[in-house]
Amino acid sequence: MNERTIELTEISPKDFFGAQNSTIEQLKRYFPKIKIVARGSKLKIYGEPEILDEFETRLERLIKYYNKYNKLDENSIEQILTSNGNEEKTTAAKNAKEVLVHGVSGRLIKPQTENQRKMVTLMAKNDMLFAVGPAGTGKTYTAVALAVKALKEKEVRKIILTRPAVESGENLGFLPGDLKEKLDPYMQPLYDALRDMIPHERLESYIEKGVIQIAPLAFMRGRTLDNAFVILDEAQNTTHNQMKMFLTRMGKSAKFIITGDPGQIDLPRKQVSGLKESLLALKDIEGIAQVYLDDKDVVRHRLVRKIISAYKSIETE
């Protein structure tokens, strides 16, 4: 009897194996001639070589399915164990329409509004996109979903998320703790989006290995960002020099999305926003696209749309 060891990497064994090892039990029913022992993130399998080969093929399909959809249920396991693979492709094609990412617990992440769909379309045709609009329009969330999609489909090797360290009326220097502890709350919206789309253990592994990097804009200086999907969030708070520095970091096979809200500039008075400048200076360059979201794109609480509209009326008086 032959023995093989299979280790699950960047996957939560608890989630993959299921409650009370339900996935393992299903595998045992399908492969009665194989002895399967699960310990931690490792599977030990015992049996004849040709049956072990078949087991590894089916297990690999299960892992791919889990990596894509972030869930496994009895029906999907049964389908993968009993099919020749073509049915899975057909099902995936049916589910693929508009879905950018299958998030945690199988949540479908897709554009919700016409301008969010425009972001997806323009990003497919250009290497740089400016997505501008008020809070709650989903510009950052859609940008992160596009980045995660590109990473999953191996179009890029890493995701870099950055923000200028300008706070809305607060000072990072007065926050307790080291630099990471100070910056984590400020970068929280980016973490929140990622946590919706990537299971916790895999996300932690990506961050630890540098596959996903979240850092303030100053950390981009001197770097060349190759094979990366890069998002500059809150770009309205960049200065002329910061924006120019960031845009010229673009390396080979890179995708850049710049998001911002010109109505929420926290720079000192008389300081020109680098976002406003770049929108004017770069509007006619091929390969760079712009999309403007508005209160019709708000996907938060229904009152947010009304709040934005109310403020718009007093700010234009």
Side-chain angles (χ1 to χ4, degrees):
M1 186 175 281
N2 290 266
E3 174 189 331
R4 294 184 195 175
T5 301
I6 302 166
E7 185 162 9
L8 302 177
T9 57
E10 296 176 6
I11 268 184
S12 163
K14 181 181 175 184
D15 293 339
F16 183 75
F17 293 152
Q20 299 179 322
N21 280 345
S22 57
T23 303
I24 301 296
E25 293 307 312
Q26 219 168 332
L27 284 167
K28 285 178 178 177
R29 288 196 298 272
Y30 189 80
F31 290 97
K33 294 183 179 179
I34 289 181
K35 181 182 177 184
I36 305 169
V37 179
R39 287 204 181 103
S41 62
K42 292 182 179 179
L43 270 184
K44 282 189 180 286
I45 53 175
Y46 305 85
E48 297 302 318
E50 62 274 9
I51 306 178
L52 294 180
D53 290 342
E54 176 65 15
F55 177 89
E56 289 197 70
T57 299
R58 300 287 168 172
L59 185 68
E60 188 179 333
R61 286 189 197 166
L62 285 176
I63 291 170
K64 282 183 179 176
Y65 183 94
Y66 178 81
N67 276 331
K68 182 168 184 178
Y69 299 105
N70 295 315
K71 68 172 185 177
L72 270 179
D73 54 46
E74 190 173 337
N75 289 335
S76 58
I77 295 170
E78 186 68 25
Q79 182 183 347
I80 292 165
L81 292 179
T82 57
S83 72
N84 59 14
N86 293 330
E87 294 92 331
E88 296 155 45
K89 292 174 184 175
T90 303
T91 303
K94 286 179 183 175
N95 293 334
K97 192 178 181 182
E98 279 213 332
V99 174
L100 296 175
V101 178
H102 290 80
V104 174
S105 300
R107 179 179 178 182
L108 301 181
I109 311 291
K110 54 186 174 181
Q112 301 292 317
T113 69
E114 193 55 43
N115 281 323
Q116 289 176 15
R117 291 185 192 96
K118 195 180 287 185
M119 282 181 66
V120 175
T121 303
L122 288 172
M123 201 66 241
K125 298 175 182 176
N126 299 273
D127 288 332
M128 185 179 291
L129 173 67
F130 286 83
V132 180
T137 50
K139 54 191 183 296
T140 299
Y141 198 83
T142 305
V144 173
L146 285 165
V148 172
K149 180 176 187 288
L151 182 67
K152 282 193 167 191
E153 295 178 357
K154 295 184 167 43
E155 293 173 11
V156 296
R157 292 180 193 161
K158 56 183 177 278
I159 294 173
I160 299 172
L161 309 175
T162 186
R163 282 179 151 196
V166 176
E167 315 85 358
S168 54
E170 299 177 5
N171 192 317
L172 287 175
F174 291 101
L175 293 174
D178 61 18
L179 179 64
K180 185 178 186 302
E181 289 171 334
K182 287 180 179 180
L183 287 169
D184 276 357
Y186 185 64
M187 312 300 263
Q188 197 62 47
L190 301 172
Y191 283 112
D192 288 344
L194 287 169
R195 287 187 184 114
D196 275 358
M197 301 174 200
I198 303 174
H200 175 75
E201 288 188 21
R202 199 183 315 161
L203 177 58
E204 291 297 309
S205 174
Y206 281 159
I207 291 172
E208 188 180 325
K209 293 175 181 176
V211 174
I212 293 178
Q213 301 170 26
I214 306 174
L217 183 57
F219 284 41
M220 298 299 110
R221 192 173 298 279
R223 299 182 66 183
T224 301
L225 306 175
D226 292 327
N227 299 299
F229 201 115
V230 188
I231 298 171
L232 170 58
D233 195 34
E234 299 288 338
Q236 75 274 5
N237 290 326
T238 58
T239 64
H240 166 88
N241 287 337
Q242 285 176 324
M243 180 61 85
K244 184 180 176 184
M245 177 275 291
F246 172 76
L247 295 176
T248 54
R249 299 306 92 204
M250 194 174 199
K252 296 175 183 177
S253 303
K255 292 272 192 179
F256 273 39
I257 295 185
I258 299 94
T259 69
D261 176 6
Q264 288 191 340
I265 296 173
D266 298 314
L267 291 167
R269 291 191 179 192
K270 297 183 180 178
Q271 181 80 268
V272 178
S273 167
L275 175 63
K276 287 187 173 181
E277 278 188 334
S278 60
L279 288 169
L280 289 171
L282 308 177
K283 61 184 172 69
D284 296 323
I285 296 180
E286 188 177 346
I288 301 177
Q290 298 180 6
V291 60
Y292 289 82
L293 299 95
D294 56 32
D295 51 2
K296 291 190 290 295
D297 297 296
V298 171
V299 290
R300 293 181 183 169
H301 193 284
R302 58 185 175 79
L303 288 177
V304 175
R305 186 180 296 183
K306 294 180 180 180
I307 290 167
I308 291 170
S309 181
Y311 269 91
K312 191 186 293 182
S313 66
I314 64 171
E315 287 167 353
T316 54
E317 286 178 359

